[in-house]
């Protein structure tokens, strides 16, 4: 569904004469934000490439960032460390191929600091904003019912609507169904193995 269709369907299900167009847009926006916080599927996966031309000890995360999936330098996946273990590296000005990273608010810190090459960040991000009635995003196309019922949960809270429990139950069911489908797709056709706890001889 496009944005206009989402709003029409939402208003038909809410069926309240005291609801306004502005509130409809607010409820849908709140619903999409809630889904973004909870859903982890290919629909909200993003990729950002950083081309490096100078010594780079840190970079800023994208504005739509929610959660890191992985970070690569060339063909090497960097190892994420908690800040307590990464902190000693901050006193060193070592340069070279990075091996470790940590997050500090909206910044990713690297060690050693690369001077060239490229970093590739895979992450979960916010869904693109819907503004014009013809606008769509991956979520509105694949799961419009999830958006609508997420929005209805906020509307029910706002209006103290007695259908709140029904809206929440449907939202939860749709969310679980979509997440399970995404999880199944990740495993489909692959041989599942348990990774070793330690890799010997790794650089």
């Amino acid at each position: 569904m496009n944005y206009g269709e989402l709003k029409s369907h939402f208003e038909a299900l809410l069926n309240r004469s005291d609801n306004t167009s502005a509130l409809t847009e607010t409820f849908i926006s709140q619903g999409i934000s809630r889904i973004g916080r909870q859903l982890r599927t290919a629909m909200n996966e993003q990729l950002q490439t950083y081309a490096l031309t100078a010594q780079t000890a840190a970079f800023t995360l994208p504005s739509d960032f929610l959660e890191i999936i992985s970070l690569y330098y060339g063909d090497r996946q960097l190892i994420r460390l908690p800040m307590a273990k990464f902190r000693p590296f901050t006193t060193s000005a070592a340069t070279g191929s990075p091996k470790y990273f940590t997050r500090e608010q909206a910044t990713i810190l690297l060690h050693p600091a690369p001077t060239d090459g490229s970093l590739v960040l895979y992450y979960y991000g916010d869904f693109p904003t819907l503004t014009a009635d013809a606008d769509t995003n991956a979520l509105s196309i694949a799961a419009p019912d999830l958006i609508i019922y997420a929005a209805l949960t906020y509307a029910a809270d706002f209006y103290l609507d007695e259908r709140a429990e029904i809206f929440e139950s449907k939202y939860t069911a749709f969310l679980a169904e979509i997440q399970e489908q995404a999880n199944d797709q990740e495993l489909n056709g692959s041989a599942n193995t348990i990774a070793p706890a330690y890799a010997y001889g790794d650089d």
Side-chain angles (χ1 to χ4, degrees), residues 67-151:
E67 180 184 331
I68 291 175
I69 300 172
S70 59
L71 178 63
Y72 281 85
Y73 177 76
D75 61 356
R76 170 184 287 183
Q77 180 170 332
L78 275 62
I79 300 169
R80 183 172 186 171
L81 296 179
M83 179 57 75
K85 290 189 175 182
F86 189 91
R87 181 61 65 184
F89 294 138
T90 61
T91 61
S92 167
T95 61
S97 178
K99 186 175 182 180
Y100 305 109
F101 77 95
T102 195
R103 183 175 69 83
E104 184 177 57
Q105 296 183 327
T107 301
I108 294 296
L109 308 179
L110 304 168
H111 182 83
T115 57
D116 57 13
S118 63
L119 290 164
V120 179
L121 173 68
Y122 292 92
Y123 67 99
Y124 292 112
D126 288 323
F127 293 102
T129 302
L130 302 174
T131 304
D133 282 352
D135 287 352
T136 61
N137 59 29
L139 186 64
S140 73
I141 293 170
D145 47 0
L146 182 62
I147 296 176
I148 290 166
Y149 276 93

Side-chain angles (χ1 to χ4, degrees), residues 41-49 62 64-67 69-70 120-128 138:
T41 74
M43 287 189 289
N44 53 341
E45 289 179 3
Q46 304 291 340
L47 181 151
Q48 178 73 49
T49 300
D64 64 345
F65 171 83
L66 290 174
E67 180 184 331
I69 300 172
S70 59
V120 179
L121 173 68
Y122 292 92
Y123 67 99
Y124 292 112
D126 288 323
F127 293 102

